[in-house]
Each structure stands twice: as structure tokens, then as C-alpha cells.
Amino acid sequence: MTDGDDHSRHRSPEELRSCIETMPDQDLVRLTAFAARLARTADWATPEDLLQSAFLAAISGDRKCPVNVEPLKFLMGAMRSILNNERNKDSRSVVTDLADDQNEHLMVDLVTPERMLERLDSILELKHALSNEFGDDELPFLVFEGRMEGMSRPEIRDMLDMQQTEFESLERRLRRFMTKHFPKTRRAG
Amino acid sequence: MSGSSKDVRLKLLNVAEFLAEDIPDMGETELADALAEEGLSESAAIRMARAAFESAKRELNARRFADARRQISGNKSIRSVRPARIELKQAKQVLAAYFARNPEAASTPTTMAARKGGELPEETALEIVQALIELGEISEDGQPR
């Protein structure tokens, strides 16, 4: 792809900067709400961190926004991706010298056992609350499990043999419950 | 429940995405409710976004400043390792040859004397040759690149 093509298909960092500067308040509210929801389960990023990183990626040109994507949607996607990348900082590859001529690459976990337990606790608390709320109704529980395991919506819907509207309604119910009951992230320090 | 810390973190990330995915399509009332659940008012949310943007701009400026600084110190080191391998008396010839090969350089703000290599003092000619070497226009021994 030539530079010319690239420029014609992506918004320039200057254009994005201007878009953000003139962004309507309602869009800023939506962006912050999105950041806050994303950061709910993340003890590795705050909503402020996510917003700042997404803005920086946009105005520095580190992330490119296609011309057919609204800047608001682009920034939301950037936050999602930043959160995912930050997640990888939990572990680090190190080389250890086992012998003179032998090295081994090890993935060292940087998460403290206490932090790990807190995270596990968060998930267990939510499962417990779901079980109390929905009782014998397995569907909300299965949808939750599927999403937590990273399955796509169509995959889960097909697996549970549900209609689109029925599925969407269940997701709304589940989300409403989770946002009310999911323990807010306990951020260390 | 078992799993590595990476697995647990991935699960939490998936939950986060599930929780956030309805925000883009929410109506205004619903959005205000969602914000209230996070303990934020609309004005606080706007302030947070604007502060984050200001912080991003500051970081970008700092990053650009650091790049410029690195570039300047890089140029200095190039200068020190690439001295001209040209005698003082050859400098005017090298310069005249350069302008003969690059007539478009005549539009640059060098003196007419420098372009012709005529009455230019040899020391000044050598300085210009050194500058051309540093710019990568000619090699250390005055040959075209």
C-alpha cells in the first residue's frame, strides 16, 4: 500500500486530534462510560488509563482509524485492544542459564498470589450471585460461562438453540444483573 | 476453579467486554444510569475524558521532545566519527564538482563563490564540504553518494 493510499483510507493523527477536541459532550460521556465498564474487572487499568492511552494512540498515529469508522467507535476499539495488550504484562519471558551452552526460556508470572486470589474471588463471587439470582434457570449461567470463555454471541446462541430476540433479552437481563452485583475491582495501590 | 493467572485474567477481560458492549447503542437515559452505576455524574465523566486528553497531549509532546533530543545527540555522534578525509587545498575542487553534479543545489542559500569554488577561502570550503558529508550528500573523501 502506498503512502497516498494509506492517507486516503485512514484519518490523519491531526484530524483525529481535531475530532477529539470538538467531540460533543454526549460522546465524551459515552466514551467514559465505556472505559469505566471495561475497567470494572481490570485491576491492571483504570478508566482514566484507558482513555488516556486511547487518545494518545490516536493523536500519535500509533493506531490508525479508517475513514469509514467513526472516531468514537475507533476510540472504544482502541481501549478494548489496549486493555487486552496490558493483560499480557502479567508475565514476562526470561532466559535462564542452565549450563554453559544451554539456555531456557521461561515465562515468569508477575502476578502475586494475593492478586491472583482476588481475581479468582471476583469470578467466584459473581458465579455465586448468579446462581442465587437465577436459581434453576441454567440459561443465564451458560451464557455467562460462554462469554467468559471467549465464545462469540452466535456460537453461544446456536449452542443453546435460542432465537435472536430471546438471546438478546437474556443478555440484557444478565448484564443488568452483573453491573449491579459484580464486585467493583479491588485495585491494589 | 483452576487455571493460570493468564487464564483468569482473560476470563475477567471477557467479562469486561460483555459488560461494556451495550454502551455504544444505549439511549441517553440508559447511559446516564450506567454512568451512575459507576459512581460518575455526566459532568464528572466529561471532566475525566478531557483531563485524559490533556494528559495524552502532554505525553505526546514529551515523547516528541525526547525523540528530537535523541536525534540531536545521534547527529553529534555521527559528526564525531565521520571527519572529512580531504585536504584543505582539495576542498574547493570537491565543492565545485559537487555543484557541477547538482545544479539544483544552486537554489540553496550558498554563496555564488561557494558554488563556483572560486574566491572562497579554503577553510570555508572545507567547512561546507564537512556539512555536505554530515548531510550524507557526499562521502568522506568527497565522492558522490
Side-chain angles (χ1 to χ4, degrees):
Chain A
M1 182 187 289
T2 66
D3 277 358
D5 286 342
D6 193 48
H7 289 154
S8 62
R9 289 174 192 174
H10 294 98
R11 297 179 195 273
S12 69
E14 293 75 25
E15 187 186 351
L16 282 172
R17 187 182 180 124
S18 163
C19 287
I20 297 166
E21 262 159 357
T22 56
M23 197 168 256
D25 284 352
Q26 201 55 26
D27 283 0
L28 293 178
V29 166
R30 200 173 292 274
L31 206 53
T32 305
F34 190 83
R37 280 272 180 96
L38 268 190
R40 254 187 186 240
T41 67
D43 51 14
W44 60 95
T46 64
E48 295 92 327
D49 293 337
L50 291 176
L51 286 165
Q52 196 255 9
S53 301
F55 288 142
L56 180 62
I59 63 175
S60 65
D62 287 350
R63 276 174 206 272
K64 296 195 182 301
C65 174
V67 287
N68 58 350
V69 174
E70 281 176 43
L72 179 65
K73 293 255 166 71
F74 164 73
L75 290 165
M76 286 176 174
M79 285 196 278
R80 198 181 291 123
S81 166
I82 287 160
L83 190 67
N84 193 21
N85 290 342
E86 282 295 306
R87 180 173 59 83
N88 297 328
K89 292 183 183 166
D90 259 7
S91 53
R92 171 178 79 191
S93 175
V94 294
V95 179
T96 52
D97 293 326
L98 294 180
D100 288 347
D101 59 347
Q102 193 185 5
N103 290 329
E104 190 184 24
H105 288 269
L106 289 176
M107 289 305 286
V108 175
D109 210 329
L110 302 176
V111 182
T112 61
E114 291 79 13
R115 181 69 63 86
M116 172 78 167
L117 272 176
E118 277 190 7
R119 291 178 183 171
L120 276 170
D121 257 2
S122 297
I123 295 175
L124 289 172
E125 274 181 45
L126 184 56
K127 284 188 171 186
H128 188 66
L130 280 170
S131 158
N132 283 344
E133 172 75 9
F134 296 102
D136 292 337
D137 187 358
E138 282 187 342
L139 282 179
F141 207 76
L142 290 172
V143 170
F144 166 75
E145 283 285 345
R147 293 304 302 264
M148 195 170 65
E149 294 302 328
M151 288 174 72
S152 71
R153 300 170 78 206
E155 266 180 309
I156 300 170
R157 203 182 57 229
D158 288 351
M159 199 180 73
L160 299 176
D161 197 21
M162 290 175 81
Q163 296 298 312
Q164 175 81 14
T165 47
E166 186 192 6
F167 181 75
E168 283 175 359
S169 157
L170 177 58
E171 273 198 323
R172 271 197 299 276
R173 221 174 112 212
L174 187 57
R175 197 176 286 114
R176 206 175 307 125
F177 174 78
M178 284 168 67
T179 51
K180 282 195 168 46
H181 292 85
F182 192 86
K184 292 246 176 142
T185 305
R186 286 152 271 188
R187 290 189 183 94
Chain B
M1 187 168 61
S2 64
S4 70
S5 68
K6 207 171 174 182
D7 291 339
V8 174
R9 210 172 170 177
L10 184 58
K11 285 175 202 276
L12 287 171
L13 182 72
N14 291 335
V15 172
E17 290 200 355
F18 174 69
L19 293 178
E21 72 188 6
D22 64 335
I23 298 278
D25 303 316
M26 273 181 181
E28 288 190 14
T29 316
E30 219 182 340
L31 185 61
D33 289 346
L35 214 49
E37 273 174 8
E38 304 299 332
L40 288 167
S41 64
E42 287 200 8
S43 58
I46 294 164
R47 271 199 308 277
M48 186 189 285
R50 291 204 196 286
F53 185 49
E54 289 306 313
S55 167
K57 285 196 286 189
R58 278 196 302 276
E59 187 165 335
L60 181 61
N61 288 342
R63 198 195 275 186
R64 283 179 178 161
F65 181 72
D67 284 348
R69 228 170 137 170
R70 246 194 315 276
Q71 214 170 357
I72 289 166
S73 69
N75 286 346
K76 277 184 187 156
S77 63
I78 288 168
R79 210 166 282 161
S80 64
V81 297
R82 296 179 57 200
R85 291 200 299 262
I86 292 164
E87 298 293 325
L88 196 60
K89 59 186 176 190
Q90 290 177 293
K92 286 211 268 186
Q93 285 174 316
V94 168
L95 209 52
Y98 171 77
F99 283 115
R101 283 194 308 272
N102 300 281
E104 73 281 1
S107 62
T108 56
T110 38
T111 64
M112 182 67 81
R115 290 199 293 273
K116 291 189 174 168
E119 294 74 31
L120 196 69
E122 285 176 336
E123 289 79 8
T124 309
L126 191 57
E127 277 175 23
I128 296 173
V129 166
Q130 182 67 52
L132 289 172
I133 292 169
E134 285 168 10
L135 288 169
E137 291 288 306
I138 56 176
S139 67
E140 288 93 298
D141 45 13
Q143 296 306 307
R145 281 198 182 273

